[in-house]
Amino acid sequence: MKKVLLPFIITVAFSINSNGFFNLKNNKIEQEKFLYVKNLDVKSFFKLFTEKYKKNSKFNSITLAGEFPENWVKSTDVQYLMSILNSKKKCCNYMNVFSSTFSNEEAEVGGFAIIFLNSYIYHTKINLGLNTAPKTDAKSIQKINNWYQKKTKKP
C-alpha cells in the first residue's frame, strides 16, 4: 500500500504545477511567486496591464496578490495619470488571486486612471475587489479635470 501511495502523492504534488503553485526546475521543486500589488508602482501597473493585453484573446486578466498600500498613488503620478485619463486603449482586467470567477471583459487604461486619481483626490485606499474591468466615464473625467484645473490654477 505504501509503495502505491507514495508515487501517487508525488504525482499529485507535481501536477499542482498546472495551477501555478510549484515548478520543477533542475530536479528541484521551486515555489512560484505571485505578483504582488505592493511591488508595482503606477507606471509599472499600466505597463504590465497594457503589454500583456492580447487583442483577440478571451483571457485578458492579470492576477495580483495582496492589497494596494495606503497612498499608493503619489503626487508625482498625477501628471502621468492625467495624461492617460481619456484613454480608451484596451488593457487587461484586474483579478485578485482569491477570485473564484474569471471575467472576459476588457478594461480601459482611462478606467484604471479614474480609479487611481479618485483614490489620490479623496485620500482613499484602492480596492479593486475580486475582478475589475473599468471603463472611461465622461462624468468622472469631467470631475477630475475640474479638480485638476483648480489644483493647478495659479492665484
Side-chain angles (χ1 to χ4, degrees):
M1 178 72 170
K2 289 181 183 177
K3 289 181 180 180
V4 173
L5 193 56
L6 185 58
F8 175 76
I9 292 172
I10 291 172
T11 303
V12 169
F14 285 117
S15 70
I16 292 175
N17 182 34
S18 65
N19 292 328
F21 295 112
F22 294 101
N23 191 12
L24 181 62
K25 291 183 180 177
N26 299 328
N27 295 326
K28 294 181 184 176
I29 297 176
E30 296 179 1
Q31 189 169 1
E32 291 286 322
K33 296 179 182 175
F34 289 112
L35 183 57
Y36 284 87
V37 174
K38 68 181 180 181
N39 296 333
L40 299 173
D41 61 13
V42 170
K43 287 184 179 179
S44 61
F45 178 94
F46 282 102
K47 183 177 182 184
L48 174 67
F49 276 60
T50 55
E51 287 181 356
K52 295 292 182 181
Y53 176 78
K54 293 178 181 89
K55 186 175 182 177
N56 295 321
S57 176
K58 295 278 186 195
F59 306 106
N60 279 309
S61 288
I62 301 288
T63 303
L64 298 177
E67 295 181 6
F68 283 85
E70 293 283 339
N71 304 315
W72 186 70
V73 178
K74 309 289 184 235
S75 59
T76 54
D77 297 322
V78 172
Q79 186 63 40
Y80 172 71
L81 289 169
M82 289 302 297
S83 73
I84 60 173
L85 182 62
N86 292 299
S87 176
K88 291 188 178 283
K89 181 178 180 181
K90 302 295 182 193
C91 65
C92 292
N93 63 43
Y94 164 86
M95 188 166 85
N96 186 292
V97 72
F98 295 115
S99 177
S100 61
T101 60
F102 188 85
S103 173
N104 61 359
E105 288 186 60
E106 295 175 325
E108 293 177 350
V109 168
F112 280 116
I114 290 169
I115 292 171
F116 297 161
L117 281 165
N118 280 332
S119 168
Y120 179 79
I121 293 166
Y122 299 111
H123 308 287
T124 57
K125 189 173 179 181
I126 297 169
N127 181 356
L128 298 180
L130 294 176
N131 286 299
T132 303
K135 310 278 192 268
T136 56
D137 168 26
K139 198 177 218 181
S140 296
I141 291 171
Q142 185 59 46
K143 285 181 183 179
I144 292 169
N145 281 330
N146 290 343
W147 166 82
Y148 189 70
Q149 287 174 356
K150 287 177 187 175
K151 179 185 179 297
T152 59
K153 190 176 184 180
K154 298 185 181 190

